Amino acid sequence: MWLIPLTEAQESFVAIEILGRHLDDDDPKVREVMDILADRFERSGRKALAVPNGAIVQSLILDAINGLDDSIENGTTEKEHSLTKKEARSLFLAGSALLKAVSRRSAKGLGEVESDLEVARTIASQIGRGSMRMLGAKDFVGDSKSLTFRVGRNAKGVTHIKITLDPDDTYTVEFFAVRRSKSPPYIHRKLLSSHANTYVGELHRTIETGTELYTRI
């Protein structure tokens, strides 16, 4: 674990965007990281970001940045976060700088990010860049066993797809509708459908069925 000192703007970014969004996360690994972050802030004094897991912290920051970016672009920042656009842009820039700092430290330090993302990168390559473009895929978040990404608008109302590698070398493909709110837990996830025992050759068909989006011409 290491500590990264925060500027005043970055302190606000962590307190509002990361703690606000993820304190109630039900993922055990994320929950452990969030407990450490919350404890660091509760002790007050000079604020610093405690980084017990570089890959998870990077994904949390990236999610918060993407949320701010969408809010600014859609003109809903003030409604969702009680922030002006100017304040939201300031948080966005602070978060972007913090992401770079965490990424640099991860690259120098434990080497955990590369190993943690091996499965996620394999899944992405199996789907293929062309298919990802057709899906409108973005906001990629990976860990040691899965890849999650946002997709474009579709008839099924799916916003995110999570593909998890199972012990028998098949995948579980889950389709979620994720919505934001201005009150805790800030992000609401609804599982729309789940498909277990999916082989590599069935990924495209499963995604097309779950979203009614094409993955190949």
Side-chain angles (χ1 to χ4, degrees):
M1 185 190 300
W2 62 85
L3 299 179
I4 296 179
L6 302 178
T7 65
E8 184 176 347
Q10 288 170 344
E11 288 178 22
S12 298
F13 171 79
V14 172
I16 295 172
E17 291 298 320
I18 300 184
L19 295 182
R21 288 168 183 266
H22 298 284
L23 270 176
D24 296 323
D25 201 298
D26 56 3
D27 185 312
K29 289 181 69 177
V30 174
R31 179 74 248 184
E32 181 181 356
V33 171
M34 293 310 302
D35 287 342
I36 294 173
L37 291 180
D39 179 64
R40 170 61 52 180
F41 272 75
E42 287 172 0
R43 291 187 209 171
S44 73
R46 180 59 190 160
K47 297 294 194 300
L49 186 70
V51 185
N53 183 308
I56 289 180
V57 172
Q58 286 182 71
S59 69
L60 294 176
I61 297 174
L62 184 60
D63 177 80
I65 290 173
N66 287 327
L68 278 169
D69 190 33
D70 286 348
S71 295
I72 294 170
E73 181 180 347
N74 297 330
T76 55
T77 298
E78 189 169 356
K79 185 184 299 181
E80 292 189 1
H81 301 286
S82 298
L83 297 170
T84 65
K85 284 191 175 183
K86 183 178 180 180
E87 290 169 333
R89 288 191 183 98
S90 175
L91 287 180
F92 178 86
L93 293 174
S96 298
L98 184 58
L99 179 63
K100 290 180 181 178
V102 174
S103 300
R104 283 197 301 267
R105 187 62 186 266
S106 296
K108 289 180 181 178
L110 303 179
E112 64 186 66
V113 176
E114 288 297 321
S115 60
D116 279 357
L117 294 182
E118 183 178 350
V119 168
R121 288 198 176 104
T122 298
I123 295 171
S125 68
Q126 289 169 341
I127 297 173
R129 290 185 179 182
S131 296
M132 288 295 194
R133 283 195 293 269
M134 293 182 69
L135 291 169
K138 61 179 182 178
D139 301 352
F140 295 89
V141 176
D143 59 27
S144 61
K145 294 182 180 179
S146 70
L147 174 68
T148 302
F149 54 91
R150 188 189 302 189
V151 295
R153 291 186 179 182
N154 56 84
K156 293 293 187 71
V158 174
T159 61
H160 291 74
I161 299 174
K162 181 176 183 179
I163 304 174
T164 304
L165 177 65
D166 296 320
D168 61 356
D169 285 335
T170 64
Y171 293 112
T172 295
V173 184
E174 298 171 297
F175 299 89
F176 293 90
V178 179
R179 298 289 180 267
R180 305 185 190 281
S181 70
K182 55 185 178 181
S183 59
Y186 300 103
I187 296 179
H188 300 272
R189 297 177 178 88
K190 180 180 180 181
L191 178 63
L192 299 179
S193 63
S194 179
H195 305 264
N197 301 315
T198 302
Y199 290 93
V200 173
E202 300 171 331
L203 281 176
H204 287 86
R205 184 183 66 186
T206 301
I207 292 172
E208 289 179 348
T209 301
T211 63
E212 293 191 4
L213 294 172
Y214 290 110
T215 61
R216 288 174 288 195
I217 298 175

